[in-house]
């Protein structure tokens, strides 16, 4: 009997790791894309022109990713999650093929939007699949895999982009997605099996449209405000009015429809709301750090731009190590609140140190501050999704994953835009030719960014104290995979 019990415990773990290999490869695909494309953009502009439209190559991707996130999440709850996941990969690959074949900047922007549509589905459905395969109490065993994927995407993207830009045609920045995506698609089609029950469903078209309008307005405000248009310009004010009106309509609609795209009742669970807010803080800090720290290291500290991905190693290594440690502790004890609190402490300390940088700050001091921030992200970033999923029934696990992913994405988009305004103001009146004056202004701008970040981190620290230590579910919720030797889960009340 002992041997039988051992088999029941170990076989699902092996089976789940095999399944997650395909799921995380798809996530890596979406993460790598933006970094690779960013590195290749100068070459793309030289061939296609359209310098004034460059920002939209990123904005179109981000905008459609954010808009589609809750929609993909709900589709995963309503229909077979495996089908939705494979569909998202397919949309992303079609967008990649078309983007690589772009004949103009306008065409590239349109195809990047299609890529973003697929990327939104890949990210949120992958988290929902993980949540369905792995009960929250056991999530720590696999947390290191997710953290490793994120680190590889952050570090490997710029490096791979540099190789492609230097040695291949820029179109390979998109074509490289095809072999990776096909492997992820085939592996998930083969190994991922999530049996479900049938039920009659309706699509919340009105909710989708109003939510999409609100998200689009917010992302555009964050992108354009204080950069392309003044904050009090007619365009920005109009977008703000649209966002408020669309959100108001969305809340009214969601209270009345049978199958809302985001069931508002999930936010009655305090832990889900707080987890979403911590994800927003994590998105702000992660996106801001990845953008501004390499810029500071290259411009002020003279680091090589060719190795821009490696510049983030002082942050990514602690993130990986801490994620592994707390994952094992969470599985062993079922406790997690303390990790959110520690995450707030480390993030705030790192941001405060970076807020004090100047033109004389050395790489050792910067690396130490980055290590603190990496540890802080390792403590809390992966836990947000697990705690949110633990707060709802399995029928809402996609919606919970979508809420956290949406908050993280919006946090990154809005935070980076606000940071950009602070940074730009510090550089006003200075040009690179100014020499030391420019470097001092540049360092001041980065310091202002992380001063604002330290305030946000402190708010995250306060939020973490209100998280309840609700016991993590220890029972599995969906069958792990085709060919697994033991049942791991059972998803109920979800339609094929």
């Amino acid at each position: 009997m002992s041997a039988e019990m051992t088999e029941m415990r170990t076989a699902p773990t092996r089976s789940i790791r095999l399944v997650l290999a395909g799921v995380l490869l798809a996530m890596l695909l979406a993460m790598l894309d933006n970094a690779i494309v960013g590195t290749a953009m100068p070459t793309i502009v030289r061939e296609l022109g359209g310098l004034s439209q460059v920002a939209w190559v990123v904005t179109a991707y981000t905008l459609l990713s954010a808009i589609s996130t809750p929609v993909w999440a709900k589709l995963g709850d309503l229909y077979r999650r495996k089908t939705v996941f494979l569909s998202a990969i397919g949309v992303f690959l079609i967008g990649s093929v078309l983007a690589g074949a772009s004949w103009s900047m306008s065409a590239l922007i349109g195809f990047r939007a299609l890529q973003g549509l697929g990327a939104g589905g890949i990210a949120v459905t992958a988290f929902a699949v993980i949540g369905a395969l792995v009960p929250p109490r056991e999530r720590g065993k696999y947390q290191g895999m997710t953290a490793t994927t994120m680190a590889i995407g952050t570090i490997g993207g710029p490096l791979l982009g540099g190789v492609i830009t230097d040695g291949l045609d820029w179109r390979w920045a998109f074509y490289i997605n095809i072999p990776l995506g096909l492997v992820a698609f085939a592996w998930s089609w083969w190994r991922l099996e999530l049996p479900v029950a049938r039920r009659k469903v309706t699509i919340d078209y009105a909710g989708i449209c109003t939510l999409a309008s609100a998200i689009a307005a917010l992302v555009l405000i964050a992108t354009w405000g204080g950069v392309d248009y003044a904050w009090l310009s007619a365009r920005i004010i109009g977008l703000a009015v649209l966002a408020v009106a669309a959100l108001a309509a969305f809340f009214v609609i969601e209270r009345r429809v049978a199958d809302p795209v985001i069931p508002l009742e999930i936010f009655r669970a305090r832990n889900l709301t707080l987890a979403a807010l911590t994800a927003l803080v994590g998105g702000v800090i992660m996106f801001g750090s990845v953008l501004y720290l390499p810029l500071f290291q290259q411009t002020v500290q003279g680091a090589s731009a060719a190795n821009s991905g490696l510049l983030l190693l002082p942050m990514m290594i602690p993130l990986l190590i801490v994620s592994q440690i707390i994952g094992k502790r969470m599985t062993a004890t079922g406790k997690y609140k303390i990790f959110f609190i520690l995450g707030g402490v480390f993030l705030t300390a790192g941001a405060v140190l970076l807020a004090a940088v100047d033109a004389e700050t050395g790489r050792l001091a910067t690396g130490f501050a980055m290590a603190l921030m990496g540890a802080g992200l390792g403590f809390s970033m992966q836990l947000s999704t697990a705690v949110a999923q633990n707060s709802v029934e399995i029928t809402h696990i996609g919606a919970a994953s979508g809420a956290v992913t949406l908050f993280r994405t919006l946090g990154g988009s809005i935070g980076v835009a606000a940071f950009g305004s602070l940074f730009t103001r510090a550089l006003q009146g200075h040009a690179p030719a100014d020499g030391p004056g420019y470097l001092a202004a540049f360092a001041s701008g980065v310091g202002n960014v992380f001063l604002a970040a330290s305030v946000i981190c402190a708010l995250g620290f306060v939020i973490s104290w209100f998280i309840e230590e609700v016991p993590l579910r220890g029972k599995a919720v969906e069958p792990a995979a085709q060919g697994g030797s033991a049942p791991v889960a059972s998803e109920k009340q979800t339609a094929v």
Side-chain angles (χ1 to χ4, degrees):
M1 183 172 180
S2 176
E4 180 182 355
M5 291 298 292
T6 301
E7 176 66 14
M8 287 289 287
R9 285 194 300 267
T10 58
T13 298
R14 292 196 300 269
S15 183
I16 289 174
R17 289 190 186 279
L18 287 173
V19 175
L20 290 186
V23 174
L24 294 178
L25 179 59
M27 288 181 63
L28 176 63
L29 188 70
M31 290 187 65
L32 283 172
D33 186 75
N34 254 342
I36 294 174
V37 172
T39 306
M41 275 312 300
T43 306
I44 295 173
V45 170
R46 282 197 297 270
E47 180 169 329
L48 297 182
L51 181 61
S52 61
Q53 299 174 286
V54 164
W56 276 100
V57 175
V58 176
T59 301
Y61 184 97
T62 305
L63 182 60
L64 265 294
S65 178
I67 288 174
S68 66
T69 290
V71 180
W72 285 109
K74 187 60 179 179
L75 289 175
D77 283 340
L78 295 179
Y79 301 103
R80 197 180 182 203
R81 214 178 299 280
K82 174 180 177 177
T83 303
V84 173
F85 184 58
L86 295 178
S87 298
I89 297 175
V91 171
F92 184 84
L93 288 178
I94 292 171
S96 298
V97 171
L98 294 174
S102 296
W103 56 89
S104 68
M105 188 62 74
S106 297
L108 177 60
I109 291 169
F111 298 141
R112 284 285 287 163
L114 185 60
Q115 275 191 299
L117 179 64
I122 289 173
V124 70
T125 312
F127 281 120
V129 167
I130 293 171
L133 291 174
V134 186
R137 179 67 179 266
E138 301 296 313
R139 196 75 49 80
K141 293 180 181 178
Y142 312 95
Q143 191 165 299
M145 295 176 67
T146 307
T148 301
T149 301
M150 182 174 63
I152 293 173
T154 304
I155 297 169
L159 294 175
L160 186 56
V163 171
I164 290 173
T165 302
D166 293 339
L168 300 170
D169 187 272
W170 65 264
R171 298 179 188 276
W172 279 97
F174 302 101
Y175 292 152
I176 191 66
N177 295 330
I178 299 171
L180 295 176
L182 289 176
V183 170
F185 186 97
W187 188 264
S188 297
W189 177 80
W190 175 44
R191 297 294 308 182
L192 182 61
E193 194 59 44
L194 308 174
V196 292
R198 295 178 179 273
R199 71 182 176 93
K200 186 177 180 180
V201 298
T202 57
I203 302 298
D204 178 17
Y205 294 106
I208 291 171
C209 290
T210 52
L211 180 61
S213 298
I215 293 172
L218 289 172
V219 172
L220 289 175
I221 289 171
T223 303
W224 287 342
V227 181
D228 296 295
Y229 303 97
W231 285 108
L232 297 179
S233 67
R235 189 175 298 249
I236 298 301
I237 292 175
L239 286 171
V241 172
L242 173 61
V244 172
L247 281 175
F250 173 74
F251 288 132
V252 172
I253 291 167
E254 297 306 276
R255 292 180 182 277
R256 297 180 179 179
V257 297
D259 284 304
V261 64
I262 296 183
L264 298 182
E265 63 264 25
I266 67 174
F267 291 100
R268 293 174 185 167
R270 186 170 80 176
N271 270 11
L272 184 142
T273 302
L274 296 176
L277 291 175
T278 60
L280 185 146
V281 172
V284 171
I285 303 307
M286 187 69 183
F287 280 70
S289 298
V290 168
L291 176 61
Y292 288 101
L293 286 174
L295 279 176
F296 177 79
Q297 291 167 303
Q298 293 169 29
T299 305
V300 178
Q301 297 180 332
S304 170
N307 298 318
S308 58
L310 299 178
L311 298 178
L312 292 170
L313 281 177
M315 186 170 74
M316 290 301 165
I317 291 176
L319 189 156
L320 287 172
I321 294 173
V322 172
S323 293
Q324 295 275 7
I325 293 173
I326 69 163
K328 293 178 180 178
R329 293 301 302 162
M330 184 178 72
T331 297
T333 67
K335 305 293 184 181
Y336 51 85
K337 179 174 179 177
I338 184 62
F339 300 132
F340 282 104
I341 294 173
L342 289 173
V345 171
F346 277 79
L347 280 175
T348 304
V352 167
L353 290 177
L354 289 171
V357 298
D358 56 31
E360 304 300 322
T361 302
R363 296 186 187 182
L364 183 61
T366 306
F368 177 70
M370 292 172 67
L372 291 177
M373 296 194 73
L377 290 170
F379 273 115
S380 60
M381 179 166 280
Q382 301 301 320
L383 286 181
S384 299
T385 303
V387 171
Q389 292 172 342
N390 188 63
S391 304
V392 299
E393 298 296 327
I394 186 62
T395 50
H396 288 156
I397 199 168
S401 303
V404 171
T405 304
L406 177 60
F407 271 67
R408 185 179 291 119
T409 302
L410 287 178
S413 300
I414 295 172
V416 167
F419 289 163
S421 180
L422 292 172
F423 181 74
T424 301
R425 278 203 293 269
L427 289 180
Q428 286 177 349
H430 296 276
D434 292 345
Y438 175 76
L439 294 181
F442 197 101
S444 177
V446 173
N448 291 343
V449 164
F450 284 99
L451 179 61
S454 65
V455 175
I456 295 171
C457 291
L459 290 174
F461 171 72
V462 173
I463 289 170
S464 66
W465 283 95
F466 292 92
I467 293 174
E468 293 182 279
E469 196 83 81
V470 178
L472 293 173
R473 285 194 295 261
K475 292 183 179 181
V477 287
E478 267 186 336
Q482 201 172 16
S485 59
V488 176
S490 171
E491 184 177 20
K492 299 178 181 178
Q493 300 178 354
T494 303
V496 177

